[in-house]
Amino acid sequence: MRFTIALLLLIISLQTTAQKTFWASRVIAFSSEYSDANTTKENKAIQALGKPNKLPLFGQSVCAWQPMTQESPLEEFLIVGFDTLMPIKQVAIAENFGQGCIVRIEAFDEFDNLKTLWVNKNMPTNEVGRMANLVLSKLTPFKVRGIKIVLNTNRVKGWNQIDAIAISQSDVPIKASINLAKNLPAEIIKENLGENVNSAYREIAPVISPDGKTLYYTRWKHPENLGTGKNQDVWFSEIQKDGKWGLAKPMGEPINNTEHNAICAISPDGKTILLNNVYLRDGSMAKGVSMSTKTPTGWAFPKPINIKNFRNKSEYAEYSFSPNGRVLILTGQFAETQGGKDIYVSFLQPDGTWAEPKNLGKKINTAEEESTPFVAADGKTLYFSTKGLSGYGNNDIFLSRRLDDTWMNWSEPENLGSVINTPEWDGYFSISAIGDYAFFSSQENAIGEEDIFKLRVPESIKPSAVVQVTGGVYNKVDNKPISAKINVQSLTDKDTVCVTYDPLTGDYKMMLPSKQSYTISASKKGFMAVSEPLDFTKDNNFKEVKKNIYLLPIEAGQKMTLNSVFFAQSKAEILDNSFPELDRIIKVMEENPTMEIMLEGHTDNQGDWNENLLLSKQRVEEVKKYLAAGGINIKRVQTQGYGSTRPISSNNSEEKRKLNRRVEVTIVKN
């Protein structure tokens, strides 16, 4: 039996020679594992499972197994199992720190017999760490169920750590690599935003407004900060006509006070911001998160967000929320932690509170601290910072994409590369809804302690494209703007987005993922909701859409088209995506118990005239039945079918014929 112990070079790309590598998936037994009053899963035996978290770099990490004591007179061991049962030709051990203590490598066969693969007869080197590769001369004559690593920690002074253990049938040495985002350009230009934004002090946590025109961030110890301690305050800068950033200004009270103030996120309409800590009326702060909304006179006093069982053991926390405003991503250390501060998700409840945070799991969180999460405008792409995944030094910025609607399943995090990430601490990655530029904090080439930078976002790490929909809500009779609640329903994944429109604070604004179709409507007491379709299924890039919404006052004689009521082809069967529109009619009639309506059915001129007339009558009768099933007395609903006799458009094309196939509702009595 022969072996080679290979010291591998640091690499940042996947190996070119294909080989099937199996990383340890479970701990079978161990002699000891590090523990103290301040740790949870840090340096436990489970940290040796899966791919390396530290290599190809070397050094201490809480994401590695570490025996309980240094330089123990007793042998230490770790036994791990794999998701396979096969003969092997190679064992790879990621010794990230204090390497040189391995004295034996043994294997358990399928009958749990222990076989010695290698005995170390060499003296330790002075290397900090390495990937140790035991390559056998041929496949083992037995199938390997588990691997046992035996250490003599007296061989090397200080702590000894093992990052990962792998097996393979290949004789090509297994290497550790950084999981880089694909197709990163060779050159990415990082631009310091200059002295109008940055200073000799520390600028961190940039939050870019959805339209990319206002940059909010946190500034430490600046002479213009409030309070004698000049703690941290929130500042902002606005883009000028020449494309440069204007001189930054502090946000002032009530956002800034004498305590530590920091902005975390901004809503898609730019009218709501999340702020770290809970603002108390006496000027003091408590752990948690607050929300402030823009009013005609400025930002309102921040109100606390009530999160169930919010008991953060960490001194720090960061927050971000989804574009629909109903999902909160936060960091903290709660009962269920992978170690230190993790990323969690909380969901908005019907009573306005937020559910108990759920840990996003091992795919995202590590035994190191995760921080600065940012959910992009597509609601699916998450950027965050950690040093618990293989990278370039201290904290690196990673991205992961949400795989389903549970918010618990994520793709394997991808490192944003060595141009964005440095050997220093990197984080606070924020991208505008347009998706063209990203803003982040970095110490590299900073004017002061830490600065705000921007870069043009490479295609491979961009979030999915969104459509920015803006506009106002108006009375259909007199065209005057009115405050209202706006609701957008996705016909693709059934997601909803709700915003409030106030004419005094400007147009409503929302970001909707492209490649989907929607219905948009507004509601206000005393008015009939009018919904309209929004079709972005063919849009692949960011675009802006102006969409004004008109509400019909509940007055006798008023008429509107139910744009979002759909039927099966040539049938009276109501399609499921019509139900939200009809439910809005039910709600209005419940709010107005004396209201009576007339439902009128219309078709285009294609096909038999008499069949069209009958179909139009059948369809409005089906609508009437739906309203009755929802609790509306059928005596309040009249029906009439007109077939193709009352077109509102020509029938020269399919697009125009669509306008003629409709259901109209007329208020008979209010």
Side-chain angles (χ1 to χ4, degrees), residues 194-443:
E195 295 182 354
N196 277 357
V197 172
N198 296 311
S199 69
Y201 300 89
R202 189 181 179 198
E203 284 77 31
I204 61 170
V207 174
I208 187 68
S209 63
D211 60 10
K213 296 180 180 179
T214 305
L215 180 70
Y216 301 90
Y217 60 97
T218 301
R219 179 174 265 176
W220 282 72
K221 300 295 183 181
H222 193 276
E224 294 182 39
N225 285 2
L226 298 179
T228 55
K230 304 299 181 183
N231 293 317
Q232 60 183 45
D233 278 358
V234 181
W235 289 62
F236 71 97
S237 175
E238 297 174 312
I239 200 78
Q240 306 299 299
K241 292 181 179 180
D242 60 3
K244 297 180 180 179
W245 291 96
L247 185 63
K249 304 173 184 177
M251 287 193 72
E253 298 179 320
I255 304 304
N256 292 329
N257 57 26
T258 58
E259 301 295 324
H260 288 288
N261 312 115
I263 186 170
C264 303
I266 188 167
S267 62
D269 61 3
K271 298 178 182 178
T272 301
I273 55 176
L274 287 181
L275 298 157
N276 222 325
N277 298 318
V278 172
Y279 286 65
L280 304 178
R281 286 292 180 178
D282 63 2
S284 62
M285 308 281 260
K287 272 188 179 182
V289 59
S290 299
M291 180 181 292
S292 176
T293 56
K294 183 177 287 187
T295 71
T297 58
W299 292 98
F301 188 86
K303 296 181 179 179
I305 290 178
N306 182 8
I307 304 173
K308 184 178 180 180
N309 292 334
F310 183 89
R311 298 185 181 93
N312 184 13
K313 298 178 183 178
S314 173
E315 184 180 352
Y316 303 102
E318 299 98 355
Y319 305 85
S320 180
F321 52 13
S322 65
N324 65 14
R326 301 200 310 275
V327 182
L328 186 68
I329 295 292
L330 65 150
T331 62
Q333 184 176 357
F334 301 91
E336 182 188 357
T337 178
Q338 298 301 320
K341 186 159 60 74
D342 283 353
I343 303 178
Y344 294 77
V345 61
S346 175
F347 301 99
L348 182 64
Q349 303 301 292
D351 62 359
T353 63
W354 293 82
E356 183 172 354
K358 293 182 178 180
N359 192 292
L360 290 192
K362 297 178 182 178
K363 186 67 73 71
I364 297 294
N365 293 313
T366 72
E368 291 284 1
E369 294 203 338
E370 280 66 51
S371 61
T372 69
F374 171 76
V375 180
D378 64 356
K380 294 182 178 180
T381 308
L382 173 70
Y383 302 88
F384 66 98
S385 175
T386 184
K387 65 176 179 179
L389 298 169
S390 296
Y392 296 93
N394 206 323
N395 276 48
D396 278 5
I397 303 169
F398 292 80
L399 75 82
S400 178
R401 303 189 193 272
R402 181 164 58 87
L403 301 179
D404 59 30
D405 292 335
T406 66
W407 288 79
M408 300 301 291
N409 294 319
W410 297 85
S411 66
E412 184 177 355
E414 300 174 15
N415 191 294
L416 298 194
S418 60
V419 178
I420 294 174
N421 291 314
T422 71
E424 304 300 330
W425 194 99
D426 299 294
Y428 296 110
F429 202 75
S430 177
I431 298 180
S432 71
I434 299 173
D436 52 355
Y437 284 98
F439 298 81
F440 59 100
S441 304
S442 182
Q443 297 174 357

Side-chain angles (χ1 to χ4, degrees), residues 368-551:
E368 291 284 1
E369 294 203 338
E370 280 66 51
S371 61
T372 69
F374 171 76
V375 180
D378 64 356
K380 294 182 178 180
T381 308
L382 173 70
Y383 302 88
F384 66 98
S385 175
T386 184
K387 65 176 179 179
L389 298 169
S390 296
Y392 296 93
N394 206 323
N395 276 48
D396 278 5
I397 303 169
F398 292 80
L399 75 82
S400 178
R401 303 189 193 272
R402 181 164 58 87
L403 301 179
D404 59 30
D405 292 335
T406 66
W407 288 79
M408 300 301 291
N409 294 319
W410 297 85
S411 66
E412 184 177 355
E414 300 174 15
N415 191 294
L416 298 194
S418 60
V419 178
I420 294 174
N421 291 314
T422 71
E424 304 300 330
W425 194 99
D426 299 294
Y428 296 110
F429 202 75
S430 177
I431 298 180
S432 71
I434 299 173
D436 52 355
Y437 284 98
F439 298 81
F440 59 100
S441 304
S442 182
Q443 297 174 357
E444 188 178 57
N445 299 322
I447 295 173
E449 296 178 42
E450 192 167 352
D451 284 355
I452 308 296
F453 291 77
K454 78 170 185 177
L455 59 85
R456 184 172 290 277
V457 184
E459 285 295 326
S460 63
I461 64 172
K462 275 186 178 182
S464 301
V466 296
V467 178
Q468 177 178 285
V469 182
T470 64
V473 182
Y474 299 87
N475 186 321
K476 191 175 182 181
V477 175
D478 59 17
N479 283 329
K480 291 183 178 180
I482 51 176
S483 59
K485 291 184 177 179
I486 300 170
N487 181 80
V488 172
Q489 173 80 51
S490 170
L491 302 180
T492 306
D493 60 14
K494 306 305 179 185
D495 191 23
T496 59
V497 179
C498 301
V499 298
T500 299
Y501 169 69
D502 183 350
L504 296 177
T505 57
D507 285 358
Y508 75 85
K509 185 181 299 181
M510 60 181 66
M511 305 297 169
L512 303 176
S514 62
K515 299 181 182 179
Q516 295 190 40
S517 56
Y518 305 85
T519 60
I520 184 170
S521 64
S523 60
K524 182 178 177 64
K525 194 170 183 179
F527 290 82
M528 285 281 284
V530 182
S531 72
E532 295 187 49
L534 297 173
D535 186 0
F536 304 136
T537 54
K538 297 181 180 179
D539 293 299
N540 297 314
N541 299 307
F542 174 84
K543 77 173 186 179
E544 298 181 45
V545 172
K546 182 79 171 183
K547 191 66 178 179
N548 291 327
I549 306 172
Y550 295 87
L551 291 181

Side-chain angles (χ1 to χ4, degrees), residues 585-596:
I585 299 295
I586 292 172
K587 183 178 180 182
V588 170
M589 295 188 74
E590 288 175 341
E591 293 174 348
N592 299 272
T594 63
M595 179 181 172
E596 297 180 10

Side-chain angles (χ1 to χ4, degrees), residues 142-201:
F142 54 87
K143 295 179 180 179
V144 172
R145 184 186 298 276
I147 292 292
K148 180 179 181 180
I149 309 299
V150 182
L151 307 181
N152 177 354
T153 59
N154 262 326
R155 288 168 58 89
V156 177
K157 290 185 178 181
W159 293 110
N160 314 109
Q161 296 185 341
I162 300 238
D163 189 4
I165 301 169
I167 57 174
S168 173
Q169 293 185 332
S170 170
D171 57 6
V172 176
I174 295 170
K175 300 179 181 180
S177 62
I178 298 172
N179 186 37
L180 283 176
K182 309 301 183 291
N183 301 317
L184 288 173
E187 182 178 358
I188 300 175
I189 299 175
K190 296 193 298 185
E191 178 185 343
N192 189 301
L193 293 193
E195 295 182 354
N196 277 357
V197 172
N198 296 311
S199 69
Y201 300 89

